[in-house]
Amino acid sequence: MTPDLILFLILALVSIGAALGMLLSKSAVYSALFLVLNFLTIAIFYVLLQAPFLAMAQITVYAGAIMVLFLFVIMLLGPRSIEGSQQIAWQRPVAFSMGLVLLGEIAYILFGRCESCGPFTTLGADFGSPERIGDMLFNRYLIPFEITSVLLLVGMIGVIVLSRKKEN
């Protein structure tokens, strides 16, 4: 076992544990903090893939700005605990069936004959560089990039409208 593989396995366990902690936590604040831990492990995965720019963008944008916004909204609306009696009847069977579909897809990709899954190739020297990312964002993926920015703006406006006190 190489040191990179050992580090990957440890990070994978931490990432899965943080994701489970986020999902199973009854406190919204703890869920948000578990999500920050998950974002940080993903950033370390980017460093292992030799994409330091993506790692810094992950930390700055997601673990920094987005999570500060989430925690601000949680504190603004008041941290409440989730009670177990508010479950929707159809929610658990749908989640279970979607989990089985996901496991089936993973099994098909790993053990089946997947034509789209070719052999692994080596990455170019400019993989993950700011120039390459900027080129891809503003040439090939310009429309999805702009749609994402509009959706984030609509989300911020929605938070402002929902948090405003009604004036009588």
Side-chain angles (χ1 to χ4, degrees):
M1 277 194 162
T2 64
D4 285 341
L5 180 61
I6 293 171
L7 181 61
F8 172 78
L9 293 174
I10 291 170
L11 283 173
L13 288 175
V14 170
S15 181
I16 291 170
L20 288 174
M22 177 190 63
L23 292 174
L24 300 175
S25 177
K26 297 204 182 281
S27 170
V29 175
Y30 289 146
S31 289
L33 292 175
F34 277 122
L35 187 58
V36 168
L37 179 61
N38 200 326
F39 285 155
L40 291 175
T41 56
I42 290 171
I44 297 172
F45 282 134
Y46 284 139
V47 170
L48 287 177
L49 290 171
Q50 288 135 9
F53 179 76
L54 289 177
M56 287 310 300
Q58 174 79 19
I59 291 172
T60 305
V61 174
Y62 290 111
I66 301 292
M67 288 314 300
V68 167
L69 179 67
F70 280 3
L71 286 172
F72 176 74
V73 169
I74 289 169
M75 293 303 174
L76 183 70
L77 297 176
R80 297 183 198 117
S81 293
I82 300 171
E83 293 144 16
S85 63
Q86 296 177 343
Q87 293 179 353
I88 302 171
W90 57 268
Q91 192 173 22
R92 199 172 288 250
V94 169
F96 184 72
S97 62
M98 295 303 286
L100 286 177
V101 168
L102 179 66
L103 286 176
E105 288 176 356
I106 291 172
Y108 176 73
I109 289 172
L110 291 178
F111 304 116
R113 302 260 176 171
C114 183
E115 285 82 26
S116 65
C117 307
F120 292 112
T121 60
T122 58
L123 301 173
D126 63 342
F127 174 76
S129 69
E131 296 88 13
R132 181 84 170 128
I133 292 171
D135 183 48
M136 294 291 283
L137 274 180
F138 293 116
N139 287 325
R140 189 169 181 188
Y141 297 107
L142 180 63
I143 300 293
F145 183 74
E146 290 299 324
I147 290 171
T148 303
S149 66
V150 169
L151 286 174
L152 286 172
L153 178 65
V154 168
M156 286 190 295
I157 292 171
V159 166
I160 292 169
V161 167
L162 290 175
S163 65
R164 261 184 59 197
K165 296 188 184 226
K166 294 181 180 179
E167 298 174 12
N168 293 330

